[in-house]
Amino acid sequence: MFLDPNYIRDRIRTVPDWPEPGVQFRDITPLLQDPRSFRVLIELFVYRYMNQRLDLIAGIDARGFIVGSVIAHELNLGFVPVRKKGKLPFDTIAEQYALEYGTSTVEMHADSVRPGQRVLLVDDLVATGGTMLAGSKLLQRLGANVVEAAAVVDLPALGGSKAVRASGLSLYTVCE
Ligand code: PRP
Ligand code: ADE
């Protein structure tokens, strides 16, 4: 069981037709609720990144905050939020993108990353890849070296992981 991605996959629930008809929503709350599977998930990321000389973890609003901030804490790194539009109080930069169900804009504080910093971008899930690509663009505009993008779940049928990798960004996902 220890650090077995199947252990993670088994604790992700699929909710049909939410938030709209046709969407198979992958719900990570059962995984987070179970202390053992939450710990296995975090350990998978920690072992992968502990020797990568990272400077910072960037987590995407909102579920990327849950996973990304714990990884940052475990690796003794700082955490910066990639937030939905209108939530950050200081000077921001923004990127708009398309979702599986709608469009959205993400923002970062303009002073959240220093040029050349080695950053891991974290979210819970890659569907169309729009969110991860927008987050990566923001980081690159701030001069970051985006070492990798990481997520718990990949939905390969939606083409996002392929698009992210085609952009030249390395992507790690724990399960499908
Ligand atoms: C979900 C998910 C990812 C994104 C993935 O977030 O948490 O951030 O969609 O989709 P994509 O690969 O097609 O861009 P959502 O925007 O639903 O926001 P939430 O985390 O606040 O629920
Ligand atoms: N974000 C975009 N598509 C999603 C899905 N199918 N499940 C959970 N989060 C998502």
Side-chain angles (χ1 to χ4, degrees):
M1 180 279 289
F2 190 59
L3 300 195
D4 181 352
N6 288 320
Y7 191 74
I8 303 300
R9 184 182 12 240
D10 290 349
R11 281 154 186 81
I12 296 169
R13 167 166 63 196
T14 300
V15 182
D17 299 320
W18 199 92
E20 58 185 47
V23 175
Q24 300 288 313
F25 191 86
R26 306 297 295 279
D27 175 19
I28 65 164
T29 62
L31 160 61
L32 299 173
Q33 202 174 324
D34 172 46
R36 187 183 288 260
S37 53
F38 193 9
R39 181 165 293 278
V40 168
L41 176 72
I42 297 303
E43 296 289 314
L44 277 164
F45 287 120
V46 166
Y47 281 118
R48 183 174 178 87
Y49 296 113
M50 62 190 300
N51 293 321
Q52 293 296 314
R53 294 176 292 106
L54 295 173
D55 294 311
L56 206 55
I57 305 293
I60 300 180
D61 195 346
R63 290 169 260 155
F65 293 170
I66 301 168
V67 180
S69 61
V70 180
I71 298 170
H73 182 78
E74 287 294 312
L75 292 175
N76 209 24
L77 298 170
F79 175 86
V80 293
V82 178
R83 290 222 65 176
K84 298 280 166 57
K85 186 179 169 65
K87 298 290 186 182
L88 290 171
F90 191 59
D91 296 340
T92 56
I93 61 167
E95 286 281 341
Q96 198 180 3
Y97 62 99
L99 272 176
E100 188 187 3
Y101 35 81
T103 64
S104 193
T105 300
V106 280
E107 297 181 337
M108 292 185 74
H109 272 148
D111 66 351
S112 58
V113 179
R114 288 193 304 279
Q117 281 194 301
R118 291 171 58 80
V119 182
L120 174 69
L121 178 60
V122 178
D123 203 352
D124 68 320
L125 177 140
V126 178
T128 67
T131 310
M132 208 59 117
L133 283 167
S136 167
K137 278 184 200 153
L138 287 175
L139 286 166
Q140 283 165 356
R141 282 169 61 190
L142 295 176
N145 174 358
V146 187
V147 173
E148 193 158 78
V152 183
V153 188
D154 179 20
L155 300 182
L158 293 170
S161 47
K162 199 172 169 193
V164 169
R165 293 188 178 109
S167 79
L169 180 60
S170 175
L171 173 69
Y172 168 68
T173 57
V174 174
C175 60
E176 294 184 356

